[in-house]
Amino acid sequence: MTILQVENLTKHYVTSGGYFDGRGETIVALDDVSFDVRRGESIGIVGESGSGKSTLSRIILGLERPDSGRIVFDGTDLSTLSKRELRAICARIQVVFQDPYASLNPRMSVRDLIAEPMEIHRDILGMSNAQITDRVAELLTLVRMEEDHMHRYPHEFSGGQRQRIGIARALACKPQLIVLDEPTSALDVSVQAQVLSLLIGLQDELNLTYLFISHDLAVVRYLCQSAILIRKGKLVENAPIESLFDAPESDYGRMLIGAMPDIDPDRSPFRLKSEA
Amino acid sequence: MSEVVQSTGSAATRSARRTNWARGFYRFRQNPLSVVGLVIVVLLLLLALFGEYIAPYPEHLNGELNVANRFQPPSAEFWFGTNEVGQDIFSLVLAGARISLLSGIAVIVVATLIGTFIGVIAGYFGSWLDEVLMRFTDLVLTLPALILAMAIAAGLGPSIPNMILALALAWWPGFARMARGEVLSTKAELYVLAAKAQGGGNTRILTRHILPNITSPIIVKMSLDVGFAILAVASLGFIGIGVRPPTPEWGVMLSVSRSNLPHFWWTAIFPGMAIFLSVLSFNFMGDGLRDVFDPRARR
């Protein structure tokens, strides 16, 4: 069953021109991008810097409006909604950002950070402060942290712990779709693995759908059932993960997969020519 | 760091707010100078409130003269000596704390409110509103603050509230520019984007995310500026706008005693020391407050 449909999404940015000529340059961030996401699935969105993958996530999160095309979430077209209705949808689509240091307000305690989405959507959830605090404790346990941690501040935690606070915050309103914007790329490799396995565990437990934005193909392969490749705003490939890795259809896909370092040293792209 | 963590071991049983206060005070104590500053500021504030009741010669505060005792050097009887009309300088300095400190603080509080409001609105909403508000701020900033305050005070008529208003109206642009700059950098932070992505409105983002993160530079600037505002109050008193003799005020006392220097040094030294001490202690206290309000600023 489809939870998210992205149809013919296009977004241009116009850079501000100089004082004298007044004309800006047009940058195509997204060009006619369409794909579907099934409920309970993880889809990887892979592209290099500047490919438009961040723009895509910002549009899905409602932070920006597309120039044309539409996003259908669970049967409702987001562009037809009023501001109030769109706010209600925000509770069901949540995000975990790449940088766990910058995405948590340093002046807020962990309790307030995780409680924030519940306070914002209090009109929908109808929770009292005590219920919110209980839910924060529950969420902290869910992301394998301790209830006591709720009285501390973000700077007292490591990167992996902060990212788990970010995940707890994203889970607070029981969302259906979570946009993971390179959630592990700022972390150590060992911590990455912990966070990834936590994400997989949560997905099974809570029946979540992940939109996993990354430039790390190995991580995408580990977490996702299918992936789309974006380059210069265009969707170049949309395939199940195994067929993407076994037989990429696009040149870009072949290039990306060819560039992946292999565990087998004989097949590594970094091997010396003489050894080949 | 480790002490902070240990001190909150039983945090679950205490309220989060009390824990924050305890932690804030812990950070404040880390710098002994901040504590010294705080103690002196508290003493000065107590003097500002009760100084005239503990003055040894309260009659001198109402303008009573004792010409027979003029220019007595500091002694057990007159701790800070006496001035050209025989009034006890210790009593005058005690009583002067009220006008000097409270008007200095009032000027800064009013200026901060005006300046922060304008700066935050300009920085957060941007576009034409920013342009209009900041050009107006620049305009006020181009006028010399003391001259502007003189003009406003002269227009409003000489009284202490008018003097405070006049100084505040000349003082706010600095706060507006600083607040705008802080808002511009804070609103680009990822946690503000995160709040927007969760569906948070402008009010929540401003009050929960932006204002708490710009308070520390504002508080530091406030505590620095209180000292200068005390000086500005004294300057206005010197040129006869605002506080006038015989109302005891440090700046007025200092300017009157100029003609007594260098022979009767105590008439100038003690009011001057009072100004010096208050500027210094507000500075020290400001540093301590910054440590409390900014968990990221670690030494």
Side-chain angles (χ1 to χ4, degrees), chain A residues 198-257:
Chain A
L198 173 68
L199 285 171
I200 291 174
L202 290 170
Q203 182 169 37
D204 294 342
E205 206 172 323
L206 305 170
N207 191 27
L208 296 167
T209 307
Y210 287 156
L211 206 65
F212 190 85
I213 296 169
S214 183
H215 56 241
D216 186 343
L217 277 172
V219 174
V220 169
R221 185 179 202 172
Y222 181 64
L223 193 78
C224 300
Q225 286 84 53
S226 69
I228 61 174
L229 303 185
I230 295 185
R231 190 183 197 201
K232 291 180 181 160
K234 281 196 167 65
L235 192 143
V236 291
E237 187 153 356
N238 179 0
I241 206 79
E242 285 317 316
S243 61
L244 178 72
F245 277 86
D246 293 342
E249 280 169 26
S250 63
D251 290 342
Y252 185 54
R254 270 191 291 277
M255 193 198 86
L256 277 182
I257 286 155

Side-chain angles (χ1 to χ4, degrees), chain B residues 9-91:
Chain B
S10 61
T13 56
R14 277 187 283 169
S15 80
R17 185 160 298 167
R18 193 180 304 164
T19 314
N20 292 348
W21 274 102
R23 190 171 304 157
F25 187 63
Y26 170 80
R27 279 203 199 94
F28 194 87
R29 277 181 318 182
Q30 291 306 96
N31 186 352
L33 283 182
S34 322
V35 182
V36 171
L38 177 70
V39 168
I40 299 175
V41 165
V42 169
L43 284 178
L44 287 172
L45 288 176
L46 287 176
L47 279 189
L49 294 174
F50 306 112
E52 57 181 308
Y53 304 113
I54 57 170
Y57 297 92
E59 65 275 13
H60 289 171
L61 305 178
N62 304 321
E64 197 182 298
L65 312 179
N66 184 2
V67 185
N69 273 335
R70 68 197 296 253
F71 292 134
Q72 294 286 323
S75 63
E77 193 182 353
F78 303 107
W79 289 4
F80 290 179
T82 61
N83 63 8
E84 68 284 349
V85 288
Q87 293 170 326
D88 176 39
I89 292 177
F90 183 60
S91 301

Side-chain angles (χ1 to χ4, degrees), chain B residues 112-179:
Chain B
T112 305
L113 291 178
I114 302 173
T116 307
F117 181 76
I118 288 179
V120 166
I121 298 290
Y124 187 71
F125 292 102
S127 75
W128 63 269
L129 198 58
D130 183 24
E131 216 43 53
V132 170
L133 289 173
M134 291 327 286
R135 291 301 79 78
F136 178 62
T137 306
D138 288 345
L139 186 76
V140 181
L141 208 59
T142 56
L143 304 170
L146 208 58
I147 309 287
L148 179 63
M150 276 167 62
I152 299 171
L156 294 172
S159 79
I160 291 174
N162 285 351
M163 175 198 68
I164 291 170
L165 189 65
L167 279 173
L169 288 178
W171 213 288
W172 63 266
F175 283 97
R177 288 180 68 97
M178 195 188 63

